[in-house]
């Protein structure tokens, strides 16, 4: 059993259940050892009706983040180790599996709902889910903070690469 206190993960799981999409919730507390090295786990293994099953790392973000008036809308940062770990898991699982960063946006004010074609409501909160393939993210990612060891995509690339998650399920 994985950590179920993160509302983004719980909402994502409920999103999958609502679509009757088979999945496995991965226990994040136990890191796998692969060739003697510790490897960060993904959050979900999602069995897609298409040809590609998903190895998903959920990234919860507020929309907008920070101050209501001046916050960033499309935060897409992640830990620097997350993308290489997903790509390594993709190799381990082999053909038919692909690493995906799933950005779960919690829409903090109703006026921002207009930015989304598909919203998911759960426990009094509204969410929108977008995916970016890990290999595409790797190609365009930039260091966001060396001190925090985080990376991100430039806004233009994120807008180009993101896919509403419903289209992948």
């Amino acid at each position: 059993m994985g950590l179920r206190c993160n509302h983004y993960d719980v909402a994502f799981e409920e999103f999958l259940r609502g679509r009757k999409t088979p999945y496995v919730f991965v226990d994040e507390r136990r890191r796998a050892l692969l060739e003697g090295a510790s490897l960060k786990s993904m959050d979900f293994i999602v069995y897609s009706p298409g040809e590609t099953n998903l190895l998903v790392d959920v990234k919860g973000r507020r929309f907008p983040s920070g101050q209501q008036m001046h916050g960033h809308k499309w935060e897409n940062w992640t830990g620097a180790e997350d993308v290489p770990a997903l790509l390594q898991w993709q190799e381990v699982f082999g053909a038919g599996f692909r690493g995906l960063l799933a950005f779960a946006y919690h829409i903090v004010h109703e006026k921002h709902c207009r930015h989304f074609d598909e919203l998911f409501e759960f426990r009094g909160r509204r969410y929108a889910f977008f995916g970016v393939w890990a290999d595409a993210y790797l190609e365009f990612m930039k260091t966001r903070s060396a001190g925090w060891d985080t990376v991100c995509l430039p806004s233009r690339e994120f807008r180009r690469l993101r896919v509403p998650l419903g289209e992948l399920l």
Side-chain angles (χ1 to χ4, degrees):
M1 164 116 29
L3 298 173
R4 299 205 190 265
C5 57
N6 179 321
H7 72 93
Y8 296 102
D9 287 347
V10 175
F12 183 80
E13 183 175 21
E14 194 60 32
F15 177 74
L16 294 174
R17 284 180 185 215
R19 291 176 166 271
K20 296 183 176 28
T21 302
Y23 67 91
V24 174
F25 191 95
V26 178
D27 187 347
E28 300 172 53
R29 296 172 295 182
R30 297 181 183 260
R31 290 177 70 110
L33 286 178
L34 186 63
E35 297 176 3
S38 176
L39 184 60
K40 182 185 180 294
S41 297
M42 76 286 295
D43 297 313
F44 293 87
I45 301 167
V46 179
Y47 296 93
S48 176
E51 293 179 18
T52 304
N53 297 305
L54 312 175
L55 305 171
V56 178
D57 195 351
V58 176
K59 301 296 166 194
R61 304 288 176 256
R62 290 170 47 94
F63 187 95
S65 66
Q67 301 274 339
Q68 283 283 2
M69 298 300 290
H70 305 291
H72 300 284
K73 290 190 171 83
W74 296 105
E75 287 286 357
N76 66 72
W77 60 271
T78 189
E81 75 171 330
D82 296 349
V83 176
L86 274 175
L87 293 172
Q88 201 162 2
W89 280 118
Q90 186 175 293
E91 278 187 42
V92 169
F93 276 77
F97 287 87
R98 194 167 178 198
L100 182 80
L101 292 166
F103 291 91
Y105 290 101
H106 169 213
I107 316 308
V108 296
H109 193 279
E110 191 171 315
K111 71 180 180 180
H112 296 294
C113 291
R114 62 182 164 76
H115 293 284
F116 304 96
D117 292 332
E118 184 179 355
L119 292 173
F120 177 73
E121 192 159 333
F122 180 65
R123 294 185 180 164
R125 294 178 173 155
R126 288 189 183 109
Y127 298 88
F129 300 104
F130 290 87
V132 177
W133 297 115
D135 51 359
Y137 196 100
L138 178 69
E139 185 176 346
F140 296 101
M141 71 184 191
K142 306 284 184 213
T143 299
R144 181 176 194 256
S145 169
W148 288 94
D149 201 22
T150 56
V151 294
C152 66
L153 290 178
S155 296
R156 179 183 192 146
E157 294 303 328
F158 181 71
R159 284 191 301 273
R160 186 176 68 80
L161 296 172
R162 72 178 183 216
V163 177
L165 208 53
E167 292 181 18
L168 301 175
L169 303 175

